[in-house]
Amino acid sequence: MTQAAPLIRLEGVTKRFGPLLANDAVSLSFYEGEVLALLGENGAGKSTLSKILFGMVKIDEGQMFVSGQPVRFRSPADAIAHGVGFVSQHFSLVPTFTVAENVVLGREGSAVLTRGKLERRVGNLSERFGLGLEPGQLVGELSVGEQQRVEILKALCGRCRLLILDEPTAVLTPQDTARFFGVLRTLQEQGVSVVIITHKLGEVMAISQRVAVLRLGRLVGERVTHETSEAELAHLMVGRDTAQVTRPARSAPATAPTKVTPLLRVADLHYSDRGRTRIGGVSFDLHAGEVVGIAGVAGNGQSELVAVLTGMLKPDAGVVALSGEQVADFTPNTFLARGVGRIPEDRFRGIVGELSVAENLLLEQLSSFTRAGHLDRRALKRKAETMITAYGIKARPNDRARTLSGGNVQKIILARALARDPKVVIAAQPTRGLDVGATAYVQGKLLEQAARGAGVLLVSDDLDEILRLSDRILVMFRGGLSGSFSAGEADADTLGLRMAGRAEPEEAHVPA
Amino acid sequence: MFRLERAPAPLWQRALVPVLAVLVTFILVSLVILGTGVDPLAVFREVLFEPLTSRSDRLEVLVQATPLLLTGVAVAVAFRGGYYNIGAEGQLYTGALAAALVGPRLGGVPAALSVAVMLAAGFFGGALWALTPALLKIRLKVDEVVTTLLLNSVMLFLISALLNGPWRDPVSGWPRSPAIAASAQFPGIIPRSRVHLGLLVALLAVALLGWVLRRTRFGLELRAVGLGADAARFMGVRVRRVVLISALVSGGVAGLAGVGEVAGVHTYLIGELSPGYGYTGIIVATFGGLSAPGILISGLFLALIDTGTLSASRTLGVPVYLGDVLEATLLLVTLAFLLLNRYRLRWAVKRPVG
């Protein structure tokens, strides 16, 4: 391992948010020319640590050194001045400006900008780091992967020596990810110290030289990447051994799907918002006992599709039919009454935080607890208690829902959605942001539903999850379906091409 | 030193809020009173304790509390559903107008039936006045704060036009409506006092509010809509219907307050029927935490302030508007304290580094 003096060193860094200990005496060094992976589950303290490095969060206790000198960042401007760059998941780019203009925005000292000179400088920089960007191109015309490289270029232009990348691959297709890794290697050769924040083990193994694992705010392990394994890292991250949930090996459904009425049929669905097409002619069937996965890069119409299929949005045109019966009235009640269990994309919009756990569990089926308008509170509480036990929710019926962790909130939603044995389950991003244990639990429950004979529609940005659970995989791209695969024939690469809207591998843009 | 943390306040801190709010309010208002050259402590003694010492003043507090409890309930019903009805004043007058229209025609009708008709007419009137803003809200998302507030003036001017036009007493020239029939007048419920049937109606309304919020499906749905309309809709609550019903019930209950003043106090409609009971209802509801027991306490408390200010102005010569200043300050301080409830007060010890 690098024996040189570290570029940046943290010593005993502690940060509290109220009673929460976000970082607990973390000591960690960052070296030039090294890719360090900061690994941990949600809430482990990765984000806080990176925000400390970038001056967005102030340290409660401990000390930070840049090139051996103690420093105290008061703002991101301080951090930038000390050579720290930060690329967040959410880009801050002006789409109507060119690449060069975006890169120098807010950085250039001189009042007069010479376009030619500017573009040459940015072009040189892009070439030096192998970013392959055209300085004169409008950012709005670029793909997500290219936009990310513009963000990296912005950081590099600030003469950064330590580059922090927050979940950089979340928005990328597998092909874009490969390209992105290429960029990281170039950065490394040029002596930049790179920190990538992630919870994907595969990426850690592929790109980093060193791994730092955080759990509950504490640094629980530091490993040289080629001396460790995914299993060991997972163990460190979660604190126990974990098993992944995978769909059972199954032969094709016994009955020919064309003969029977599908549980859910979507035909030529259209929806546009303020002139922009969000769903443009989507059609598919969902049969009993089947998990259909909808893959795609976030923002290609999946959210709108889920909103339509949960009754939150009325489509402009097209047919949605449940067990052959067409839906006329797009309200949540229609879908509830027809036996659709629904897991919303944003779980915190699926509960009312100020109401109790019991009320949130049973608000969908109050009719069963109401007589002449009077609510049978005791029956409600009893029912809630059985659901809490059945789904292992760590809460009491009268606790306010907002005091629960994300995993327990998701269990409330899961329990509510599955309580009345739905015929169709619409599961949108069911495991987003959950820890490994809760993820396995939710995925297991979804497979259980399919085994029971329900049809499960799984919409997820997590390609891995789609691949492991689905019998059939559809890919959404710019509001339409760009591919349909059965479980056996799909892999991350083929799906990735479709997610980028490319039909055939031959047409694919081969990374340089 | 003390430190504020963004975490829900513990129960003891929540319980402390009304007490602290009252304390801070009185400290702030003391400054105003000092400006008038009177001893603030004497004023507060007069306002808060003097009315409790005599039977007639104690009962007068109950008369004052009658419309305040009703407007408090009215406002709470709407606020609970996240519908900010600022129009209780106008809805109160609409209810009073309905009572003044129906009342004179009830001669010869049995008293029980007359009273029932008066209440129904007032409820219907208040609900009708609340209907337009509610529909504008749920159909076109027009901000109800603006519409309900502006409609207050519309109703006041409408009534003023009626009183100074067709209803003006031809003999005396007084701007007031024809008197309601004797059978339509609310009977007194406590001998030798002005306390009338309206108080029972108000207490019933408070009790019903508590029951609806805690024990009925509608109450749960109402709270769900108020606390998270999107999530409530996702869970199958018919949000627009809930908002419409709560807006109409709110208007109707405010209308009952108007009926009480016409049928229980004046026996006719006048332009100065309400010294702002509709607006004070907002304070009653907010200070009472939008809950039934809270509204009962805050309604009585504000009625005490109203009654006490009157006697203070008589004996100490402070302006009667002091009551308004007190109540308005109480609202602002309560709101500030409610905001504080989202935080937790903690004793932070500076730990040594290392």
Side-chain angles (χ1 to χ4, degrees):
Chain A
M1 197 200 280
T2 328
Q3 288 304 312
L7 183 63
I8 292 187
R9 166 146 191 83
L10 300 175
E11 263 174 29
V13 165
T14 296
K15 178 69 202 176
R16 287 186 196 84
F17 294 109
L20 183 80
L21 202 53
N23 285 146
D24 186 4
V26 173
S27 297
L28 193 57
S29 297
F30 305 87
Y31 298 93
E32 281 180 14
E34 182 188 61
V35 177
L36 172 81
L38 206 51
L39 186 68
E41 296 196 293
N42 283 282
K46 298 172 304 206
S47 293
T48 306
L49 199 63
S50 64
K51 283 177 182 163
I52 285 173
L53 285 169
F54 195 54
M56 282 149 75
V57 165
K58 286 192 201 101
I59 301 173
D60 285 344
E61 288 161 31
Q63 187 53 266
M64 180 163 160
F65 301 89
V66 175
S67 310
Q69 298 299 310
V71 290
R72 200 158 275 271
F73 293 164
R74 266 177 229 94
S75 69
D78 283 354
I80 291 167
H82 282 89
V84 179
F86 188 90
V87 175
S88 109
Q89 280 171 273
H90 311 286
F91 304 154
S92 48
L93 298 170
V94 184
T96 52
F97 281 12
T98 65
V99 170
E101 285 166 341
N102 266 288
V103 167
V104 298
L105 196 65
R107 288 195 197 282
E108 201 62 14
S110 65
V112 184
L113 301 175
T114 329
R115 172 168 288 236
K117 208 166 129 192
L118 196 72
E119 293 191 351
R120 254 196 319 281
R121 251 193 67 197
V122 171
N124 287 341
L125 208 59
S126 161
E127 205 171 313
R128 188 176 137 208
F129 291 103
L131 295 171
L133 290 167
E134 191 56 56
Q137 208 179 355
L138 289 180
V139 162
E141 295 166 354
L142 301 179
S143 75
V144 174
E146 287 168 324
Q147 291 189 12
Q148 184 176 49
R149 297 206 290 276
V150 177
E151 284 282 2
I152 294 173
L153 196 55
K154 264 169 75 176
L156 293 172
C157 192
R159 313 222 179 287
C160 95
R161 292 181 293 160
L162 176 85
L163 181 63
I164 308 161
L165 299 151
D166 187 8
E167 303 266 357
T169 59
V171 291
L172 300 182
T173 63
Q175 283 76 17
D176 276 337
T177 302
R179 168 81 210 247
F180 168 73
F181 284 173
V183 171
L184 290 192
R185 284 190 197 98
T186 319
L187 288 175
Q188 193 191 333
E189 284 161 17
Q190 304 269 346
V192 177
S193 168
V194 178
V195 180
I196 77 166
I197 299 163
T198 180
H199 58 257
K200 293 181 184 166
L201 293 170
E203 286 176 6
V204 173
M205 302 307 288
I207 191 66
S208 71
Q209 278 86 55
R210 206 154 52 92
V211 195
V213 186
L214 288 173
R215 186 169 76 228
L216 300 172
R218 273 203 303 278
L219 187 66
V220 292
E222 229 184 308
R223 298 282 185 277
V224 175
T225 307
H226 66 82
E227 288 170 3
T228 183
S229 64
E230 285 194 32
E232 190 197 13
L233 292 178
H235 185 91
L236 281 173
M237 196 160 88
V238 187
R240 60 192 139 79
D241 289 315
T242 52
Q244 281 200 326
V245 175
T246 310
R247 62 183 274 276
R250 257 181 299 188
S251 49
T255 45
T258 43
K259 286 283 177 197
V260 294
T261 315
L263 290 178
L264 171 68
R265 162 162 285 173
V266 173
D268 202 25
L269 201 67
H270 288 266
Y271 175 76
S272 56
D273 180 29
R274 275 164 279 170
R276 282 193 63 179
T277 303
R278 300 293 178 178
I279 306 173
V282 167
S283 306
F284 63 89
D285 287 348
L286 175 67
H287 291 275
E290 189 183 41
V291 178
V292 169
I294 294 196
V297 177
N300 276 286
Q302 302 97 313
S303 304
E304 289 79 3
L305 181 66
V306 167
V308 168
L309 295 179
T310 51
M312 295 294 278
L313 202 62
K314 189 181 178 322
D316 298 333
V319 172
V320 174
L322 294 161
S323 305
E325 223 184 304
Q326 203 172 316
V327 173
D329 184 23
F330 283 86
T331 64
N333 278 320
T334 308
F335 286 84
L336 280 172
R338 303 265 200 96
V340 178
R342 305 158 313 137
I343 297 169
E345 195 169 54
D346 178 354
R347 68 184 61 106
F348 291 99
R349 285 184 165 202
I351 60 156
V352 180
E354 292 293 326
L355 291 184
S356 73
V357 170
E359 288 164 342
N360 273 294
L361 277 168
L362 295 161
L363 207 60
E364 272 183 7
Q365 39 170 321
L366 287 182
S367 341
S368 344
F369 299 93
T370 313
R371 247 181 315 155
H374 186 85
L375 206 57
D376 188 347
R377 285 251 158 210
R378 277 171 54 201
L380 202 73
K381 194 175 168 201
R382 270 201 305 277
K383 176 69 181 170
E385 270 164 356
T386 61
M387 287 167 86
I388 285 169
T389 314
Y391 286 83
I393 302 168
K394 289 193 192 74
R396 284 158 302 180
N398 290 333
D399 287 348
R400 294 199 181 193
R402 72 170 151 74
T403 60
L404 272 57
S405 70
N408 280 307
V409 167
Q410 192 69 338
K411 282 181 177 177
I412 291 182
I413 287 171
L414 197 67
R416 193 173 69 200
L418 306 183
R420 289 174 292 172
D421 289 342
K423 281 189 271 185
V424 172
V425 178
I426 309 286
Q429 317 295 353
T431 61
R432 180 185 276 174
L434 297 187
D435 63 37
V436 177
T439 298
Y441 183 83
V442 171
Q443 290 174 344
K445 282 286 175 192
L446 291 178
L447 289 179
E448 241 177 68
Q449 295 300 306
R452 177 177 63 76
V456 177
L457 186 73
L458 170 67
V459 180
S460 177
D461 293 344
D462 183 347
L463 202 50
D464 203 40
E465 175 172 70
I466 295 266
L467 281 166
R468 275 188 291 107
L469 302 186
S470 313
D471 300 298
R472 211 144 51 79
I473 298 168
L474 308 173
V475 182
M476 251 189 126
F477 176 69
R478 292 193 184 153
L481 292 181
S482 62
S484 168
F485 305 87
S486 63
E489 60 187 38
D491 58 36
D493 286 333
T494 42
L495 289 179
L497 287 172
R498 301 293 176 136
M499 282 159 70
R502 299 183 201 123
E504 300 299 327
E506 291 84 52
E507 291 173 27
H509 168 77
V510 182
Chain B
M1 58 172 199
F2 280 112
R3 222 172 58 174
L4 286 174
E5 286 178 355
R6 203 178 163 86
L11 204 65
W12 65 264
Q13 193 183 318
R14 282 162 186 267
L16 217 62
V17 161
V19 180
L20 279 175
V22 169
L23 217 67
V24 172
T25 301
F26 280 94
I27 291 169
L28 288 175
V29 175
S30 293
L31 303 175
V32 181
I33 297 173
L34 281 173
T36 66
V38 184
D39 176 14
L41 285 177
V43 173
F44 293 142
R45 208 186 62 83
E46 193 72 27
V47 169
L48 291 181
F49 301 108
E50 199 54 38
L52 299 176
T53 55
S54 83
R55 175 185 183 272
S56 68
D57 279 354
R58 280 201 297 270
L59 294 172
E60 192 54 30
V61 169
L62 294 181
V63 177
Q64 288 290 325
T66 301
L68 290 182
L69 290 173
L70 282 168
T71 53
V73 168
V75 170
V77 167
F79 279 26
R80 277 284 185 162
Y83 180 84
Y84 292 96
N85 178 17
I86 313 294
E89 183 77 0
Q91 290 142 14
L92 178 149
Y93 269 107
T94 319
L97 177 62
L101 284 171
V102 172
R105 294 174 174 78
L106 291 170
V109 179
L113 184 61
S114 294
V115 166
V117 169
M118 291 287 278
L119 288 172
F123 188 92
F124 180 77
L128 194 68
W129 203 242
L131 179 66
T132 314
L135 287 179
L136 284 172
K137 167 76 171 186
I138 62 177
R139 292 285 163 207
L140 300 171
K141 294 185 179 143
V142 178
D143 190 347
E144 74 279 10
V145 172
V146 177
T147 49
T148 53
L149 178 68
L150 293 182
L151 279 176
N152 289 342
S153 311
V154 175
M155 182 44 68
L156 265 171
F157 283 123
L158 199 71
I159 284 178
S160 177
L162 276 173
L163 293 176
N164 289 298
W167 274 350
R168 185 187 285 273
D169 193 308
V171 183
S172 69
W174 290 112
R176 68 185 198 198
S177 74
I180 59 172
S183 66
Q185 292 177 16
F186 282 3
I189 53 172
I190 295 177
R192 292 182 293 118
S193 80
R194 302 203 302 153
V195 181
H196 56 87
L197 183 72
L199 181 65
L200 293 184
V201 176
L203 292 175
L204 189 68
V206 173
L208 268 174
L209 174 74
W211 179 71
V212 166
L213 284 179
R214 291 155 62 101
R215 300 282 169 200
T216 68
R217 174 180 184 166
F218 180 79
L220 178 52
E221 292 188 339
L222 182 69
R223 288 191 293 135
V225 168
L227 296 168
D230 256 9
R233 188 163 88 88
F234 182 84
M235 287 188 266
V237 176
R238 290 153 75 184
V239 173
R240 296 205 283 194
R241 185 170 155 269
V242 170
V243 169
L244 180 65
I245 292 175
S246 76
L248 295 186
V249 170
S250 173
V253 175
L256 292 182
V259 177
E261 294 312 286
V262 168
V265 180
H266 299 281
T267 72
Y268 43 76
L269 175 60
I270 51 168
E272 303 77 40
L273 187 79
S274 157
Y277 291 134
Y279 297 111
T280 311
I282 299 169
I283 308 174
V284 172
T286 308
F287 185 59
L290 305 185
S291 76
I295 286 170
L296 184 65
I297 294 167
S298 71
L300 288 169
F301 182 65
L302 288 174
L304 175 67
I305 291 180
D306 277 347
T307 315
T309 319
L310 276 178
S311 71
S313 75
R314 277 196 303 268
T315 54
L316 298 173
V318 289
V320 278
Y321 297 112
L322 183 66
D324 292 343
V325 174
L326 261 175
E327 287 168 5
T329 310
L330 182 62
L331 175 66
L332 295 177
V333 173
T334 306
L335 288 175
F337 270 101
L338 286 178
L339 203 67
L340 217 58
N341 253 352
R342 292 193 209 151
Y343 296 86
R344 181 156 61 175
L345 205 58
R346 270 175 77 107
W347 181 250
V349 183
K350 253 290 201 263
R351 261 170 273 244
V353 179

